[in-house]
Amino acid sequence: MRECLSIHIGQAGIQIGDTCWELYCLEHGIQPNGIVLDSQQDQLENAKMEHTNTSFDTFFCETRAGKHVPRALFVDLEPTVIDGIRTGQHRSLFHPEQLLSGKEDAASNYARGRYSVGSEVIDLVLERTRKLAKQCGGLQGFLIFRSFGGGTGSGFTSLLMERLTGEYSRKTKLEFSVYPAPRISTAVVEPYNSVLTTHSTTEHMDCTFTVDNEAVYDICHRKLGVECPSYASINRLMVQVVSSITASLRFEGPLNVDLIEFQTNLVPYPRIHFPMTAFAPIVSAEKAYHEQFSVSDITTACFESSNQLVKCDPRLGKYMACCLLYRGDVVPKEVNAAIAATKSGHSVQFVDWCPTGFKVGINNRPPTVMPGGDLAKVHRSVCMLSNTTAIVEAWARLDHKFDLMYAKRAFLHWYLREGMEEAEFLEAREDLAALERDYEEVGQSF
Amino acid sequence: MSDTLTADVIGQRVEVNGEHATVRFAGVVPPVAGPWLGVEWDNPERGKHDGSHEGTVYFQCRHPTGGSFIRPNKVNFGTDFLTAIKNRYVLEDGPEEDRKEQIVTIGNKPVETIGFDSIMKQQSQLSKLQEVSLRNCAVSCAGEKGGVAEGCPNIRKVDLSKNLLSSWDEVIHIADQLRHLEVLNVSENKLKFPSGSVLTGTLSALKVLVLNQTGITWAEVLRCAMGCPGLEELYLESNNIFISERPTDVLQTVKLLDLSSNQLIDENQLYLIAHLPRLEQLILSDIGISSLHFPDAGIGCKTSLFPSLKYLVVNDNQISQWSFFNELDKLPSLRALSCLRNPLTKEDKEAETARLLIIASIGQLKTLNKCEILPEERRRAELDYRKAFGNEWKQAGGHKDPDKNRLSEEFLTAHPRYQFLCLSTCVYTGGLQVVHFQLEQSFFLEYGAPEEWELKTQQPLMLKNQLLTLKIKYPHQLDQKVLEKQLPGSMTIQKVKGLLSRLLKVPVSDLLLSYESPQKPGVEIELENDLKSLQFYSVENGDCLLVRW
């Protein structure tokens, strides 16, 4: 029951997905061919195994042969990236029908992803989704992984979301999106794609966890000693956050949070559903055991801008909601102490109208690191999800870049050629301006 | 613990208001009555004196303000292991009201905690605990014999850092009872290590041992390691270690060794650990090293030291010579290197160049500073290296023709890989090998020796450097003198004709220009298109213009 379907769209979504499922397999002791390695869990003295099937049933489907198949769908409009998975380490983990690729890509063009090329693939994708959904006893919802700036990630996702809302109106839809960053930008038209896709998906999404490539790039470069962070390093870090967020869904634990509970707590208004993520501790592998991070250390670190995965300054805004998800060796006493200390140390300002402040949960399973990765293994970690008005800064930056290009109608013909109209651009821009105003209004005191 | 002062209280580790200290004296200090404990603080400035009071020396301290006298009842002698675990993990049996009062608030909002009750119940089942952290929990002893083995036998990982353990024997008392123990962290405890080879127990399952900041010496490390036959990872950061002897029967299974921040280590000591057969990862950050030598290997050969070393970390050191990386090329298994924040690689502008030079110097390197070296990057780096030192190579006796190639010893020492980068196919397929190398790749690099045109250095962009010095000859008028003129390469033929016409008093339309180059004698190239420039026709410095009319 309560299964979650992950849909990975576009190059970013697929590469993050690949790393993500690799991490999930490590955490659950599943080998690359889908079989659980029982001998990894040695027999405990006088205690039965903690490992029960229902814990990862939410994310993996068990076949009669004992193989665990991820409940995931990988979609791209061109085959190269998916071929990487078809021939990669995890090729035997996925069923071939879960890896869908088109022939002609979206060329970083929202219009192609949404209208021309996307429309050819959408029916197949929906059919496969239906098939996966049938395998679930009680589907909870969807987790979408994609980037804002790419053609498939922006355009095709908009199309898919519309159709999913039509077919599965009461299922939750959460997404993990990659916000475009100038330093690792691959396309000039990313602001166009981002604005257009935000406009179309906002009404269909329940909660969007944004991750800024630039923030993660900085973390890898400064804290982890990676000289030129590649997508692999960035994805490995992002995936730790994703794992923290989904940990309560995958492991039997006291905080068995439904996807609905995330929504209820973090999202005060339907449109204000962009929480900011932060993660601690971030320790380079060569510095393992040099420093110890207690619960209070990692809690304080969450409020520092260097641990955030989105570039914005929360001190300039107000918190509407905040979720702290601890993993590993964490004792409730220490959590209470840590939070009390935070209250005195930082300017954590809440809006007047919000009833509950913090929501805190613990999952005993310690954080896992990927072998060959940059992060050191730590005893405990925390992921903070906070809905703060300061995130409007990220939207403002994007809107500004959009305006600069749109004022000159630069690159517009690529979109018009595929059948889009200028009106859609204006509409999208208006929508984002309204979003900015909404955030402002929400942060105001009475 | 009680405050009875017996002789065995000396040497014990204690805690007073968060500060840790070692008991050095127990007894009476006249003129004040009553029992006193003399302690030496970990923090040398915390105390009031150095162990002497009113002229009498009661105990010794390393610092003049390192010691104090304290009443025994003010001192915390710590608890035993099992009690510490219970304190941290077990739900306290208090009445309901007490727990309700623990609701924390931030601002004026309550903090809602989910499932804490269930977590507390789960953690209370001590026998299920596998990973335990007792950092700074004032653990000083193992407690009653067998208590730990009975209470929490399944512990695999224990963090006992910053506690009050006073001796390695005490640590063994605890660890011995945990049959599945894989990871033991006793950092930041001032432990007394056994002086003889007295083993009180073998930790057969132990894989990871962390002894950072314990003040341990190398001899003590070896003695402790004797009790850990399967040890794979050993962390010895910040211990002022001086490697004094070669480990013969111990540490043979160790795969990772962390010796960061041990400033007394120098390169000669590293030879003593160079024969560990399984050592794959060596962390030498911040030890002040500036050079490394492997004297048993000649230029271009592989050393027998550090046979399995795959990953070397030398961040935050004093490396300032490129020869460091030439030495690293001798390591047979090295595949990854991290060398950030060294004087050689510090400048941000030159970071890119530094990276390329390091890649070119170490042939088998696959990862540098945690970034994978892709084949294109390696190719670029090696071509750059070959070009950058081409002139030096020539001056040192290098030549395309392998028979004429006689390089100076100096050049070979400074650039051991250069010859390898220059091997050309015809030499190789002929079976001749200039230098013997082990080739890992299935395809073969053949960049060939650097060509002349590659070695031309860029002249600075001044006008005088852009002018071509040309001779002007008049083949039909032999009595005219040969002129020499400096003309810019971008000058069009029309303008050249105009200049010559003024000089020779001949109309422009009558002039026919061509040029010949001393490099190709006898070949004359016509300059027939008036609108093209001298550069277009590849007229170069030293060429000769021929004018006919």
Side-chain angles (χ1 to χ4, degrees):
Chain A
M1 292 298 283
R2 292 178 26 253
E3 293 91 350
C4 296
L5 220 63
S6 306
I7 306 184
H8 304 274
I9 306 173
Q11 179 180 351
I14 293 171
Q15 286 178 340
I16 293 175
D18 191 21
T19 318
C20 198
W21 287 104
E22 188 179 337
L23 185 62
Y24 288 169
C25 288
L26 281 173
E27 290 183 350
H28 294 282
I30 299 177
Q31 288 183 294
N33 61 0
I35 316 280
V36 176
L37 197 57
D38 263 352
S39 62
Q40 259 192 8
Q41 294 279 334
D42 288 344
Q43 290 300 328
L44 302 177
E45 276 186 35
N46 310 324
K48 62 177 172 56
M49 297 229 304
E50 263 187 49
H51 213 65
T52 50
N53 282 349
T54 52
S55 55
F56 49 51
D57 201 41
T58 42
F59 276 70
F60 290 86
C61 175
E62 192 175 355
T63 62
R64 256 175 288 183
K67 202 171 145 180
H68 294 265
V69 182
R71 296 187 199 276
L73 206 59
F74 287 73
V75 183
D76 199 3
L77 295 177
E78 56 106 16
T80 27
V81 187
I82 290 210
D83 281 345
I85 304 207
R86 289 189 182 124
T87 54
Q89 214 189 5
H90 296 105
R91 59 184 177 279
S92 31
L93 189 64
F94 301 103
H95 191 284
E97 285 196 352
Q98 291 175 285
L99 306 171
L100 300 166
S101 59
K103 296 197 186 64
E104 213 190 333
D105 82 332
S108 296
N109 190 333
Y110 171 92
R112 282 173 71 92
R114 173 86 200 250
Y115 299 110
S116 31
V117 185
S119 57
E120 293 166 22
V121 182
I122 184 73
D123 291 315
L124 181 60
V125 174
L126 286 173
E127 186 205 310
R128 296 287 162 82
T129 316
R130 256 172 248 135
K131 224 173 160 174
L132 283 173
K134 269 207 196 92
Q135 289 173 347
C136 302
L139 179 64
Q140 227 189 119
F142 300 92
L143 291 169
I144 317 285
F145 293 78
R146 54 93 171 233
S147 70
F148 276 162
T152 317
S154 59
F156 188 74
T157 312
S158 312
L159 180 59
L160 184 63
M161 286 305 107
E162 240 180 56
R163 305 286 287 265
L164 281 182
T165 312
E167 264 189 61
Y168 308 90
S169 54
R170 298 213 291 171
K171 306 290 182 198
T172 317
K173 293 191 279 298
L174 296 191
E175 70 167 342
F176 291 91
S177 340
V178 179
Y179 175 95
R183 243 190 290 188
I184 338 182
S185 166
T186 46
V188 174
V189 291
E190 280 173 357
Y192 279 164
N193 292 339
S194 311
V195 169
L196 290 166
T197 190
T198 310
H199 163 60
S200 11
T201 49
T202 302
E203 51 184 297
H204 303 294
M205 282 300 178
D206 297 307
C207 197
T208 304
F209 299 103
T210 34
V211 172
D212 184 349
N213 258 344
E214 182 153 358
V216 185
Y217 186 99
D218 276 342
I219 291 178
C220 287
H221 188 69
R222 289 196 202 131
K223 289 196 166 191
L224 299 176
V226 184
E227 201 175 9
C228 338
S230 58
Y231 280 142
S233 315
I234 294 177
N235 288 347
R236 276 194 288 258
L237 189 54
M238 249 201 87
V239 146
Q240 289 291 341
V241 172
V242 174
S243 172
S244 290
I245 295 176
T246 54
S248 52
L249 295 163
R250 292 177 290 120
F251 295 105
E252 277 226 338
L255 182 57
N256 261 352
V257 168
D258 295 357
L259 287 182
I260 298 187
E261 224 176 312
F262 270 120
Q263 281 173 261
T264 324
N265 276 282
L266 284 174
V267 181
Y269 296 95
R271 280 164 64 80
I272 314 287
H273 63 242
F274 299 93
M276 187 186 71
T277 40
F279 187 78
I282 300 179
V283 188
S284 163
E286 290 110 38
K287 299 222 172 134
Y289 298 112
H290 286 204
E291 266 180 79
Q292 298 292 342
F293 295 94
S294 65
V295 173
S296 55
D297 290 331
I298 56 180
T299 313
T300 324
C302 274
F303 290 93
E304 279 166 29
S305 54
S306 55
N307 282 62
Q308 280 166 224
L309 276 84
V310 183
K311 277 216 178 300
C312 68
D313 193 355
R315 290 170 299 180
L316 299 174
K318 294 194 185 153
Y319 285 91
M320 288 171 273
C322 190
C323 247
L324 284 167
L325 307 166
Y326 290 90
R327 279 185 96 166
D329 180 61
V330 177
V331 177
K333 270 189 277 203
E334 293 171 358
V335 170
N336 289 334
I339 294 181
T342 311
K343 134 186 159 174
S344 51
H346 290 259
S347 51
V348 178
Q349 239 195 335
F350 271 87
V351 287
D352 300 332
W353 48 261
C354 194
T356 33
F358 275 52
K359 191 151 178 159
V360 181
I362 302 180
N363 190 290
N364 285 76
R365 299 295 285 252
T368 320
V369 284
M370 304 186 44
D374 315 309
L375 290 165
K377 188 143 173 42
V378 286
H379 288 296
R380 59 193 72 87
S381 72
V382 63
C383 175
M384 179 173 88
L385 304 168
S386 52
N387 202 342
T388 161
T389 54
I391 206 162
V392 73
E393 208 182 298
W395 296 120
R397 280 201 300 267
L398 207 58
D399 291 340
H400 176 65
K401 290 191 194 134
F402 179 99
D403 291 335
L404 284 174
M405 286 202 294
Y406 191 75
K408 293 284 190 186
R409 303 291 187 275
F411 302 100
L412 213 59
H413 67 282
W414 294 112
Y415 295 81
L416 303 176
R417 196 183 285 204
E418 301 290 337
M420 268 184 76
E421 289 176 6
E422 277 195 38
E424 202 170 329
F425 277 79
L426 289 170
E427 215 181 290
R429 180 65 184 89
E430 260 307 302
D431 195 13
L432 280 209
L435 185 68
E436 282 186 59
R437 285 196 297 271
D438 286 342
Y439 266 101
E440 219 176 307
E441 205 183 304
V442 141
Q444 272 165 5
S445 350
F446 290 117
Chain B
M1 286 272 186
S2 63
D3 37 18
T4 49
L5 292 183
T6 49
D8 59 334
V9 97
I10 297 192
Q12 279 201 25
R13 299 275 298 155
V14 295
E15 179 248 333
V16 181
N17 285 338
E19 297 262 1
H20 290 209
T22 319
V23 177
R24 295 277 184 227
F25 167 80
V28 184
V29 178
V32 190
W36 285 100
L37 282 178
V39 299
E40 183 181 1
W41 299 103
D42 283 2
N43 176 1
E45 279 156 45
R46 172 70 177 75
K48 294 205 177 91
H49 51 77
D50 65 348
S52 50
H53 179 68
E54 288 181 2
T56 329
V57 176
Y58 292 93
F59 62 95
Q60 303 270 357
C61 274
R62 266 166 290 187
H63 292 268
T65 52
S68 299
F69 287 111
I70 302 194
R71 290 288 185 200
N73 57 357
K74 291 232 185 324
V75 157
N76 178 9
F77 280 89
T79 58
D80 65 288
F81 185 77
L82 203 56
T83 314
I85 288 199
K86 286 190 186 144
N87 284 344
R88 185 155 190 259
Y89 291 100
V90 176
L91 171 63
E92 270 146 31
D93 299 315
E96 277 290 316
E97 302 90 64
D98 278 2
R99 249 182 288 147
K100 279 216 189 91
E101 278 168 34
Q102 284 176 31
I103 295 179
V104 188
T105 55
I106 297 225
N108 47 3
K109 316 276 175 220
V111 174
E112 189 187 329
T113 58
I114 312 288
F116 273 24
D117 289 343
S118 172
I119 273 265
M120 289 197 257
K121 270 199 211 108
Q122 215 176 39
Q123 288 176 335
S124 305
Q125 293 176 32
L126 296 181
S127 53
K128 278 203 183 161
L129 285 178
Q130 288 195 352
E131 204 170 307
V132 156
S133 175
L134 291 174
R135 180 178 165 81
N136 213 357
C137 290
V139 175
S140 59
C141 62
E144 56 173 72
K145 211 161 170 179
V148 174
E150 207 189 294
C152 36
N154 291 309
I155 292 181
R156 270 172 223 272
K157 301 187 186 172
V158 65
D159 179 2
L160 279 168
S161 55
K162 211 164 176 198
N163 279 302
L164 299 178
L165 296 160
S166 49
S167 68
W168 179 249
D169 289 338
E170 203 59 53
V171 173
I172 293 289
H173 284 150
I174 299 174
D176 216 12
Q177 300 181 50
L178 300 170
R179 285 187 358 193
H180 300 280
L181 190 65
E182 287 173 6
V183 177
L184 175 62
N185 184 347
V186 288
S187 305
E188 294 177 75
N189 283 301
K190 281 205 163 33
L191 301 171
K192 213 168 35 203
F193 292 95
S195 47
S197 52
V198 177
L199 272 180
T200 42
T202 311
L203 308 174
S204 44
L206 196 68
K207 294 215 171 75
V208 177
L209 181 57
V210 187
L211 291 162
N212 298 339
Q213 294 175 54
T214 49
I216 195 171
T217 67
W218 185 247
E220 289 165 350
V221 170
L222 297 185
R223 262 180 256 131
C224 295
M226 275 169 63
C228 316
L231 195 63
E232 289 181 5
E233 293 178 20
L234 181 58
Y235 295 86
L236 297 167
E237 181 236 349
S238 293
N239 282 314
N240 272 332
I241 285 193
F242 185 96
I243 303 177
S244 50
E245 57 186 282
R246 183 175 151 161
T248 39
D249 298 318
V250 286
L251 301 181
Q252 300 300 312
T253 47
V254 165
K255 287 193 189 154
L256 185 154
L257 183 58
D258 181 2
L259 290 167
S260 311
S261 304
N262 286 300
Q263 301 280 338
L264 295 176
I265 295 187
D266 65 26
E267 60 167 296
N268 294 320
Q269 294 172 39
L270 293 176
Y271 296 139
L272 295 169
I273 49 169
H275 300 275
L276 293 170
R278 304 252 179 94
L279 188 64
E280 290 176 10
Q281 196 174 332
L282 184 58
I283 306 180
L284 296 174
S285 307
D286 189 32
I287 59 171
I289 198 169
S290 54
S291 62
L292 258 184
H293 288 102
F294 300 114
D296 65 328
I299 297 167
C301 301
K302 298 292 178 193
T303 175
S304 59
L305 301 172
F306 294 109
S308 312
L309 189 64
K310 288 205 185 109
Y311 181 27
L312 178 63
V313 179
V314 285
N315 298 331
D316 302 296
N317 278 309
Q318 300 299 322
I319 299 168
S320 51
Q321 303 287 336
W322 291 111
S323 54
F324 185 87
F325 303 107
N326 291 333
E327 289 295 312
L328 289 184
D329 189 37
K330 293 181 184 169
L331 289 167
S333 310
L334 190 69
R335 297 288 172 270
L337 175 69
S338 275
C339 57
L340 300 165
R341 297 180 292 272
N342 280 291
L344 199 56
T345 56
K346 241 183 216 173
E347 299 300 318
D348 266 327
K349 311 181 279 256
E350 298 177 10
E352 178 72 29
T353 334
R355 186 181 165 82
L356 293 177
L357 282 174
I358 296 174
I359 294 175
S361 304
I362 309 177
Q364 293 174 351
L365 204 61
K366 296 274 185 290
T367 312
L368 176 59
N369 293 334
K370 298 207 184 159
C371 290
E372 200 188 328
I373 301 172
L374 299 166
E376 305 92 64
E377 197 180 2
R378 174 158 281 285
R379 194 185 149 79
R380 216 173 4 115
E382 292 181 341
L383 282 171
D384 261 5
Y385 186 85
R386 180 174 149 275
K387 190 165 169 188
F389 295 103
N391 279 323
E392 259 184 64
W393 173 75
K394 284 205 122 167
Q395 281 164 9
H399 202 278
K400 258 197 304 220
D401 188 344
D403 291 331
K404 300 196 191 145
N405 200 9
R406 261 169 254 309
L407 283 173
S408 69
E409 197 60 40
E410 210 185 308
F411 184 84
L412 282 174
T413 322
H415 305 279
R417 281 198 88 218
Y418 200 89
Q419 278 299 94
F420 181 65
L421 298 177
C422 288
L423 284 175
S424 62
T425 31
C426 56
V427 173
Y428 197 80
T429 52
L432 290 170
Q433 286 182 322
V434 179
V435 189
H436 174 66
F437 281 105
Q438 285 168 336
L439 291 171
E440 244 208 351
Q441 297 131 314
S442 53
F443 72 92
F444 172 63
L445 297 164
E446 0 115 346
Y447 298 128
E451 306 277 337
E452 273 294 336
W453 58 268
E454 284 181 278
L455 299 178
K456 255 207 236 160
T457 42
Q458 276 273 38
Q459 297 282 13
L461 259 98
M462 290 193 281
L463 183 60
K464 67 174 184 195
N465 293 329
Q466 291 175 321
L467 295 175
L468 305 165
T469 312
L470 301 168
K471 291 206 211 27
I472 307 187
K473 274 203 210 138
Y474 313 96
H476 293 323
Q477 249 80 356
L478 293 164
D479 51 340
Q480 290 268 20
K481 274 196 306 197
V482 176
L483 285 176
E484 209 173 82
K485 277 230 169 272
Q486 287 197 322
L487 300 172
S490 53
M491 193 168 180
T492 56
I493 303 299
Q494 185 153 35
K495 298 269 164 55
V496 176
K497 282 189 180 168
L499 184 117
L500 290 169
S501 141
R502 284 194 297 273
L503 256 176
L504 305 166
K505 317 271 191 284
V506 175
V508 172
S509 44
D510 285 351
L511 288 172
L512 288 165
L513 285 185
S514 55
Y515 83 98
E516 65 176 11
S517 176
Q519 280 156 1
K520 293 201 190 113
V523 176
E524 207 179 299
I525 300 163
E526 219 182 305
L527 303 167
E528 83 274 12
N529 193 339
D530 281 353
L531 297 173
K532 301 285 183 196
S533 66
L534 290 170
Q535 236 168 36
F536 176 78
Y537 287 104
S538 306
V539 177
E540 303 211 333
N541 234 340
D543 287 348
C544 184
L545 279 179
L546 302 165
V547 189
R548 295 187 178 84
W549 63 92

